[in-house]
Amino acid sequence: MPLLVGTAEFNEQEHLTIGGCDTVRLAEKYGTPLFVYDVAHIRERARGFKQTFNSLGVKNKVIYASKAFCCLAMYKLLEEEELGCDVVSAGEIFTAIKGGMSPKNIEFHGNNKTKEELLYAVEQGVGMIIIDNFYEIELLSAILKETGKKQHVMFRITPGVDAETHEYILTGQEDSKFGFDVNSGQATQALEKILADERLILKGAHCHIGSQIFSAEGFLAAVEKMLLILNDWKKAFNYTVDVLNMGGGFGVQYTEADDPLEPEAFVKAIVNAVKGQCELLDYTFPEIWIEPGRSIIAEAGTTIYTVGSQKVIPDVRHYVSVDGGMGDNIRPALYDAIYDGFLANRISKETPEEMRIVGKYCESGDILIKTIELPPLKPEDLFAMTSTGAYGYSMANNYNRNLKPAVVFVENGQDKLVIRRETYEDLIALDCE
Ligand code: LLP
């Protein structure tokens, strides 16, 4: 039986429904590939994080990492759920504000924010800029001087913690392009520079150890390291943070083999660790902020594909091609990410067979699922690939000039188109003759 998450279930016609909407009807209405987002599931995740902090009596901010998936409707939803958002480009700031996000709830990250982007952020009144490097301190200082403004900032620290995840999404280790390194003393130098500039209002320190992390250990190690550093700074500079931002990275379930902690358990573990360390060091308990992206949006998303051609090479492999692929989900090709999925338009009693799900892109590496057992598939069948909500659409591309898919939000039996499918005209919109 497929792994059904959130509101996903099969109806009497043996069609997959999500948010009370029949995915066969959605595919007819909007075409495929189609990203379907279960809004109730997004809300549940968002509330889970917030309520856990609140039930522990901890001042907090849950800041959704836009890079996992964003569009105007997503920002509207975040506002409704009282979440902030983390952005990493002026483009995300622009979209967030257009989507109704209050600028004060926007947090700006990035290891190479340009002068133009920083100026834009300051002018728009973005609530928090997370300073990543020395060059950025200079740029931001100059902009604030010129504009006569002050800015709330934090600074990003790489605490020197390794988490168990793919090397490309590991960020808390010393050898990283992100943040100020602690061991070499750069973090302390940065602190001094920021404190010396009266236009930079330093609210606290940030770290993000990586992404798709299943256990609390890495976070606990990071909390311990961060508080030791903060405590040194308290002694040396009489500086105490208001906020400790522990980043995102909480893992999700892509297949049954994945067994991440529940979001609530991550929060409890972090809060307990911060409490413990603060008591031990006699450090004032700070506000705790987190930046979950994947854990809010991944499992809420399902991609519906239409099955097309098949190729069976006897004793070698059975290939099933669908009408999308590495253009709408590059994660299997980029990170060896493993996904699951199932037949969405009928329930088959036939014996499952081993097959490989591939896309339509002109590249052998265009594989969506390397090995999966499914009942025999026919052309026009719908294949639902699950947990595609994070870093799927947001990393989509037009390789081979394929069109980016449409995205719908479904909730309580209502479907709402939130990103329309691209058209051929869109494809040439930027071309100059
Ligand atoms: N905060 C910071 C500073 C980050 O760099 C990230 C992710 C997050 C929060 C959110 O992490 P999450 O909760 O979503 O794991 N494209 C990759 C993931 C890259 C993550 C980059 N930073 C993937 O598809 O796995």
Side-chain angles (χ1 to χ4, degrees):
M1 194 54 201
L3 191 64
L4 292 171
V5 215
T7 61
E9 57 188 10
F10 276 86
N11 64 13
E12 281 168 8
Q13 290 92 53
E14 303 191 337
H15 295 171
L16 171 69
T17 71
I18 304 174
C21 296
D22 184 328
T23 56
V24 177
R25 299 282 97 79
L26 294 176
E28 283 165 8
K29 187 170 171 184
Y30 298 109
T32 59
L34 180 67
F35 279 92
V36 181
Y37 278 95
D38 180 349
V39 175
H41 191 266
I42 304 175
R43 291 190 199 280
E44 186 192 310
R45 280 300 170 97
R47 290 174 193 173
F49 279 118
K50 278 201 87 68
Q51 282 164 2
T52 312
F53 275 120
N54 293 341
S55 69
L56 297 168
V58 174
K59 270 193 149 182
N60 66 84
K61 239 186 179 183
V62 178
I63 301 159
Y64 170 73
S66 301
K67 69 204 89 172
F69 170 72
C70 71
C71 64
L72 298 176
M74 184 63 199
Y75 287 113
K76 184 162 175 278
L77 182 57
L78 294 174
E79 269 288 321
E80 281 169 23
E81 293 301 324
E82 298 178 0
L83 259 58
C85 72
D86 140 13
V87 298
V88 291
S89 69
E92 284 185 349
I93 298 176
F94 174 81
T95 315
I97 293 175
K98 284 277 179 197
M101 242 1 243
S102 160
K104 69 174 187 333
N105 292 329
I106 300 178
E107 194 196 74
F108 190 17
H109 264 292
N111 68 302
N112 193 22
K113 307 175 187 84
T114 65
K115 203 188 285 180
E116 291 73 26
E117 285 181 312
L118 284 169
L119 179 62
Y120 182 64
V122 168
E123 279 173 344
Q124 295 298 317
V126 161
M128 183 65 69
I129 295 181
I130 315 265
I131 298 179
D132 191 274
N133 53 71
F134 291 109
Y135 179 54
E136 190 180 334
I137 300 179
E138 276 175 36
L139 280 181
L140 188 55
S141 284
I143 287 168
L144 294 173
K145 220 176 200 171
E146 240 175 77
T147 53
K149 294 195 177 190
K150 291 190 173 184
Q151 176 68 47
H152 279 167
V153 298
M154 286 192 213
F155 69 138
R156 179 167 178 168
I157 292 167
T158 35
V161 169
D162 278 345
E164 264 179 52
T165 189
H166 192 284
E167 141 184 45
Y168 288 2
I169 50 179
L170 190 65
T171 50
Q173 76 285 14
E174 192 177 341
D175 182 3
S176 163
K177 74 167 180 169
F178 298 106
F180 295 98
D181 168 55
V182 173
N183 293 339
S184 63
Q186 291 184 354
T188 306
Q189 271 173 280
L191 173 73
E192 288 186 84
K193 278 188 190 292
I194 297 170
L195 287 177
D197 188 331
E198 53 159 27
R199 295 187 186 278
L200 299 173
I201 308 165
L202 184 61
K203 298 300 286 179
H206 168 279
C207 71
H208 170 79
I209 57 171
S211 204
Q212 183 60 351
I213 297 164
F214 283 176
S215 75
E217 282 155 38
F219 290 99
L220 302 188
V223 165
E224 194 174 320
K225 277 237 168 151
M226 289 294 279
L227 271 146
L228 287 175
I229 301 158
L230 296 182
N231 198 43
D232 284 348
W233 289 340
K234 181 177 126 184
K235 289 189 208 144
F237 306 101
N238 195 24
Y239 170 72
T240 307
V241 293
D242 297 327
V243 180
L244 174 62
N245 186 331
M246 291 303 298
F250 315 112
V252 302
Q253 195 172 33
Y254 285 101
T255 72
E256 267 176 328
D258 296 331
D259 188 20
L261 278 184
E262 289 295 314
E264 291 77 6
F266 277 114
V267 172
K268 281 186 187 155
I270 290 174
V271 168
N272 282 339
V274 177
K275 276 195 175 145
Q277 280 297 105
C278 284
E279 276 164 23
L280 195 73
L281 302 167
D282 194 25
Y283 196 92
T284 309
F285 191 80
E287 252 180 63
I288 303 179
W289 293 11
I290 55 167
E291 301 166 340
R294 190 191 315 266
S295 50
I296 287 185
I297 202 76
E299 292 173 19
T302 302
T303 313
I304 308 292
Y305 295 104
T306 300
V307 171
S309 68
Q310 302 195 39
K311 175 178 178 183
V312 181
I313 312 166
D315 302 323
V316 176
R317 180 95 56 206
H318 177 172
Y319 286 96
V320 175
S321 298
V322 296
D323 56 353
M326 66 192 297
D328 56 77
N329 192 347
I330 200 157
R331 300 193 69 261
L334 199 54
Y335 315 111
D336 286 324
I338 301 174
Y339 284 86
D340 205 350
F342 47 84
L343 191 56
N345 56 313
R346 58 192 173 89
I347 293 174
S348 168
K349 304 266 180 316
E350 287 177 273
T351 314
E353 297 165 9
E354 197 177 290
M355 47 192 95
R356 170 167 288 185
I357 309 291
V358 295
K360 70 189 290 292
Y361 292 75
C362 207
E363 187 154 324
S364 298
D366 175 26
I367 299 167
L368 286 172
I369 302 180
K370 269 191 180 156
T371 314
I372 186 170
E373 294 223 330
L374 291 171
L377 301 176
K378 300 187 296 226
E380 309 290 314
D381 267 340
L382 294 180
F383 176 67
M385 191 155 135
T386 48
S387 288
T388 57
Y391 305 105
Y393 190 88
S394 68
M395 295 176 84
N397 60 72
N398 288 116
Y399 185 42
N400 297 159
R401 292 234 156 185
N402 281 304
L403 305 176
K404 285 191 197 162
V407 182
V408 284
F409 275 11
V410 291
E411 188 175 29
N412 299 325
Q414 304 288 321
D415 59 87
K416 184 176 181 307
L417 184 67
V418 296
I419 304 179
R420 67 164 172 80
R421 183 175 308 284
E422 274 184 325
T423 62
Y424 294 133
E425 288 301 321
D426 289 330
L427 282 182
I428 56 163
L430 304 179
D431 296 5
C432 307
E433 280 185 77

